[in-house]
Amino acid sequence: MIPETIEEYILSHIDEEGELLATLNRDANVNLLRPRMLSGHLQGRILKMFCRMCRPKQVLEIGTYTGYATLCLAEGTGADATIHTIEVNDEMEDFIRKYTDRSPWKEKIRLHLGDAMKIIPTLEETFDLVFIDADKRLYSAYYELVFPKVRSGGLILADNTLWDGKVLETPHPSDKQTIGIQEFNDKIRNDERVEKVILPLRDGLTMIWKK
């Protein structure tokens, strides 16, 4: 959503992502089919900054993919924080652990492999921050499932909520991902339990503050 020249300027004037994340990024672009799915430099620094400001002790990430965002969340939290991250594709485990195991924040990270809809109910923690970046068809379901586990004053972040501008279109009935994002955005707009704002960052990032 940001012009390439502006993004290049931004990246040249913010903190660097660091060697480990840069190596992960290169590895993903060479070896994975959809490297664009990882959070990347700008969003990664923003996730870290959210953690610096909110100082969460318990964090939940729904959708690990490469572990890039996981590492950024872990980097921004204190030594006593725990990052629970859920990835449905068990074939990503080796890639994820290749980088989390090399991270100085590896002791904070708890990787759960499987269906988030089944794993979330088993988690007994009360979360200070939740980052949703998984199956777009299930965003509303993830939200309702995790909402009771978020403390009052906690923050929920949802990625890809502008969905390449497709939220402005009437989707084909078979385009379940676009429909899922539109339904989620409408749900959040009408949810009086929260305050919310959409940031036009990359593919859209919604900030949801639980009252």
Side-chain angles (χ1 to χ4, degrees), residues 39-155:
S39 290
H41 184 179
L42 175 56
Q43 185 166 324
R45 293 305 86 191
I46 288 174
L47 292 174
K48 177 187 175 183
M49 188 66 77
F50 277 134
C51 288
R52 287 285 192 235
M53 294 186 294
C54 298
R55 305 184 66 83
K57 298 289 184 67
Q58 294 290 339
V59 177
L60 174 62
E61 178 186 34
I62 306 173
T64 314
Y65 189 43
T66 63
Y68 189 103
T70 317
L71 293 172
C72 295
L73 293 165
E75 183 182 355
T77 54
D80 56 348
T82 302
I83 317 295
H84 290 271
T85 183
I86 304 172
E87 175 54 42
V88 69
N89 183 2
D90 60 6
E91 293 182 357
M92 289 300 301
E93 181 176 8
D94 289 346
F95 190 102
I96 294 166
R97 294 197 186 279
K98 177 167 63 172
Y99 291 99
T100 57
D101 287 352
R102 292 164 57 187
S103 166
W105 311 288
K106 64 182 179 181
E107 298 302 324
K108 301 181 190 180
I109 298 170
R110 307 286 183 269
L111 175 62
H112 305 268
L113 295 169
D115 184 349
M117 296 297 293
K118 296 178 180 178
I119 292 172
I120 292 171
T122 71
L123 302 177
E124 299 179 354
E125 289 78 7
T126 298
F127 293 102
D128 307 296
L129 188 149
V130 175
F131 180 45
I132 303 174
D133 187 15
D135 189 339
K136 313 311 168 192
R137 297 170 296 182
L138 297 176
Y139 263 35
S140 293
Y142 295 143
Y143 178 75
E144 291 298 345
L145 194 59
V146 80
F147 193 85
K149 295 179 177 289
V150 178
R151 69 169 176 84
S152 177
L155 183 65

Side-chain angles (χ1 to χ4, degrees), residues 23-35 38 66 95:
T23 302
L24 186 162
N25 203 336
R26 288 192 297 271
D27 192 356
N29 275 275
V30 171
N31 294 301
L32 299 181
L33 291 176
R34 295 184 295 274
L38 64 76
T66 63
F95 190 102

